[in-house]
Amino acid sequence: MDMTRLSDQTPSFPLFVSAARPDSFAAACAAGSDMVVIDLEDSVAPDSKAAVRRIPQRALPQDRSVTLYLRVNGAGTLWHRDDLAFARMAGVDGIVLPKSDSADQIAAVRGALRPGQKIIAQIETVRGLSRVEQIAELADRLAFGSIDLSEDLGCAHTRLALLPLRSRLVQAARLAGAPSPLDGVTVSVTDAAAIVDDARHASELGFGGKCLIHPRQLAPARAGFRTTPQDLDWARHALAAEEDALPDAEAEMLRSPVVARARRLLLRGQAQMAPAAGPEAPAPRRPSGPTPSGK
């Protein structure tokens, strides 16, 4: 991906739905997210993993505007190879690979899929984190699995403990010229304020979206990534000042990051003007101190 185009990205909000609930697929596709991920991994019991691949034809809408992914079972599991074969046969837009641990895994998965099918690599282990720069080079996008990774690392699942881990994913994606990574889930479905605040934190760090586990999380997640009116006012003033500035080389060098940020904020603001499905959640006031939420 051309690194000069990173500022044009619109936040993405993959909505995960269990493969064991085909009755929920159509509703998930109509919820207003840009991507639906049918989950064959965590949400499916081991004795049902083969059966859930028989997705009824009527489960998915004939005309869908969302991209459709499968989260397959991880490399080394009993179901991984058959999940990839199913993804290839089903013709989905891509797969989510949990516990992505190496570039070799990504290369092997790429060879098992159809040309054009995408790979989102979930970083959920210390081993995967240690190789995230190589993984980012071969995957189409990174996603942060905060709960699994904090358990593997033995650290608290808090914002402070996960800060360097999140930052490393953002840096790896940027070095690879890849889309900004997707942040992990907020466990709460009903606490809109927590979802907004988690999403805002992810946006501030440079993430390009957030994984969701329920349609109710979509509006507050969008609210957290929304450019504020204050940011848009600043961006307009920054660009106006840039146009009036004298063509001094040193001043131009100092202004260029400011101008790039202003343009990025305005682009995001324009993208937000598109109508979204469902009511938007109001953005709550940011807590004055650190919060324990680290999803």
Side-chain angles (χ1 to χ4, degrees), residues 73-290:
N73 287 279
T77 65
L78 297 173
W79 313 280
H80 177 69
R81 182 176 297 180
D82 288 341
D83 284 353
L84 292 179
F86 174 66
R88 182 184 177 94
M89 177 195 68
V92 293
D93 297 294
I95 66 104
V96 176
L97 182 67
K99 297 178 175 60
S100 299
D101 281 354
S102 70
D104 288 344
Q105 280 184 0
I106 305 301
V109 168
R110 184 78 69 193
L113 297 176
R114 288 184 181 181
Q117 287 182 309
K118 306 294 186 182
I119 301 172
I120 297 176
Q122 278 191 303
I123 305 301
E124 300 182 292
T125 66
V126 177
R127 186 181 298 276
L129 183 67
S130 73
R131 301 168 175 172
V132 68
E133 290 80 12
Q134 292 77 31
I135 292 171
E137 291 285 349
L138 293 188
D140 294 288
R141 196 165 202 172
L142 299 175
F144 186 45
S146 63
I147 299 174
D148 287 89
L149 185 49
S150 62
E151 180 64 24
D152 192 31
L153 191 60
C155 72
H157 191 254
T158 60
R159 187 170 290 178
L160 179 61
L162 296 173
L163 177 59
L165 284 61
R166 279 192 166 98
S167 292
R168 184 164 179 184
L169 259 72
V170 173
Q171 293 166 17
R174 181 62 172 162
L175 286 171
S180 301
L182 302 167
D183 195 27
V185 302
T186 298
V187 175
S188 175
V189 171
T190 57
D191 190 344
I195 299 166
V196 172
D197 200 51
D198 282 350
R200 184 176 291 140
H201 177 65
S203 179
E204 288 175 351
L205 290 177
F207 280 81
K210 183 172 177 61
C211 297
L212 310 177
I213 55 174
H214 194 280
R216 196 178 298 174
Q217 295 180 318
L218 179 58
R222 278 198 177 118
F225 273 83
R226 184 178 298 118
T227 307
T228 66
Q230 294 85 351
D231 283 340
L232 292 175
D233 286 343
W234 174 88
R236 294 187 188 100
H237 282 110
L239 291 180
E242 191 270 343
E243 290 177 358
D244 295 337
L246 294 174
D248 177 81
E250 183 177 359
E252 181 68 25
M253 180 181 69
L254 293 174
R255 281 199 310 270
S256 58
V258 174
V259 172
R261 180 171 184 266
R263 288 172 176 159
R264 174 170 57 82
L265 290 172
L266 288 176
L267 283 169
R268 180 174 287 186
Q270 291 169 5
Q272 289 165 186
M273 294 177 66
E280 293 287 357
R285 294 171 60 93
R286 179 181 298 283
S288 57

Side-chain angles (χ1 to χ4, degrees), residues 16-29 36-40 43-45 48 51-56 58-60 213-215:
F16 285 68
V17 58
S18 174
R21 292 289 311 275
D23 56 311
S24 300
F25 294 173
C29 290
V36 169
V37 181
I38 297 177
D39 181 31
L40 302 171
S43 66
V44 178
S48 299
V52 294
R53 295 191 202 106
R54 296 192 291 271
I55 295 176
R58 65 184 181 280
L60 291 166
I213 55 174
H214 194 280

Side-chain angles (χ1 to χ4, degrees), residues 1-8 174 177 267:
M1 178 178 178
D2 184 350
M3 295 181 76
T4 62
R5 301 294 295 173
L6 291 177
S7 62
D8 295 354
R174 181 62 172 162
L267 283 169

